[in-house]
Amino acid sequence: MARKNSELIKEIEELIKKYNKKPEKNIRKRDIVELFQDTEIIIPCRTDFSDCQVYEESIEGVNLKPDVVKDEKNTRMLPVFTSYEQVPVEYMEKFSLVRIAAADAYSFMNDSEYLHGIVINPFSSANLELRKKKSPVKSATRNYAKPVEPVQNKGAIIIHNNQKYTIAKSPFTIGRAGTDIVIPETYISKVHAVISYKDGKYRVADYDSTNGTRLNGKQLPTKVYYELGDGSEIQLADKEKLTVYLGS
């Protein structure tokens, strides 16, 4: 039976307090992180309604810009709060408080080239910094520093949302921004999947995405290439479907 969010939050806050009282060797940060990712938390955001549209009981197109806090070394961290009791009064006056899944906050932090991590409850004794190990943008740049190779077989295409994309180079990237196929959804990672062409064959790999990649229904492990066939279906985050046609 799934535990209530309030129960998880209370346990996390207590664990953080114990963890911060060094030495507390029986409390591991990894255990706190695992619990944290199963919760819903609060993010302070500035809101822009200039481009929004109102449809009956819903509002679409609201622009949210999360707040950023800095430490003495000018490190940029995403502040999140486990409960409204942890939110300072000045935040309530200046920001909109948005409740989201902690896993989504993690994805946002990891995909941002400007953020170095998350800080939980930055203004209380139950505070904890979760820094990302490496910049995903730098990692992608390093891995794709090799020259782009032209693809000899120009008949290969991908169909997504009734749009046709020609696979004319290798690597060919699919992701949320700056890729050959752009799918601007929060559940899609910045570089989600990669298609390569070698020795006359097309292959696809998941690029360590947050929500995973499937090939013909099979979940792909990270950064392991699998051969594509004519009519192969690539599924991203169990929501976006792309069909590959290899042609002659």
Side-chain angles (χ1 to χ4, degrees), residues 28 40 44 57 61 80 87 92 100 104 113 128 134 138-139 144 169 173-174 183 185 204 209 213 215-216 235:
R28 299 184 303 173
E40 287 189 346
E57 296 181 353
V80 303
V87 183
M92 294 184 177
I100 68 169
D104 291 336
E113 61 181 300
L128 184 69
K134 58 183 179 180
K138 291 182 180 178
S139 174
Y144 289 112
K169 65 185 184 69
T173 56
I174 307 168
I183 305 175
E185 300 289 351
V204 64
S209 67
T213 303
L215 174 60
N216 298 326
Q235 193 170 6

Side-chain angles (χ1 to χ4, degrees), residues 104-246:
D104 291 336
Y106 242 81
S107 297
F108 174 78
M109 177 270 292
N110 279 321
D111 289 342
S112 172
E113 61 181 300
Y114 303 107
L115 292 172
H116 299 93
I118 286 175
V119 55
I120 305 172
N121 299 333
F123 309 108
S124 79
S125 59
N127 71 82
L128 184 69
E129 289 188 356
L130 305 177
R131 294 176 180 260
K132 56 186 176 185
K133 295 180 180 179
K134 58 183 179 180
S135 167
V137 173
K138 291 182 180 178
S139 174
T141 303
R142 182 173 65 251
N143 285 322
Y144 289 112
K146 61 184 181 180
V148 173
E149 299 178 5
V151 172
Q152 300 300 319
N153 178 10
K154 299 300 175 87
I157 62 171
I158 291 181
I159 303 296
H160 175 251
N161 282 348
N162 295 319
Q163 293 190 48
K164 182 172 70 175
Y165 302 87
T166 301
I167 307 175
K169 65 185 184 69
S170 179
F172 184 90
T173 56
I174 307 168
R176 194 178 66 248
T179 49
D180 298 301
I181 296 180
V182 176
I183 305 175
E185 300 289 351
T186 56
Y187 49 79
I188 298 296
S189 295
K190 190 162 187 177
V191 179
H192 198 109
V194 179
I195 293 174
S196 72
Y197 179 80
K198 186 176 182 181
D199 298 329
K201 296 180 180 180
Y202 292 89
R203 304 177 302 159
V204 64
D206 177 82
Y207 192 71
D208 199 19
S209 67
T210 300
N211 295 312
T213 303
R214 293 180 182 270
L215 174 60
N216 298 326
K218 178 181 178 181
Q219 189 75 36
L220 298 184
T222 297
K223 296 184 180 179
V224 178
Y225 281 92
Y226 285 79
E227 185 175 345
L228 292 166
D230 190 40
S232 288
E233 183 179 274
I234 301 171
Q235 193 170 6
L236 309 181
D238 291 330
K239 293 186 179 182
E240 302 290 336
K241 292 183 179 180
L242 304 92
T243 306
V244 180
Y245 295 101
L246 300 183

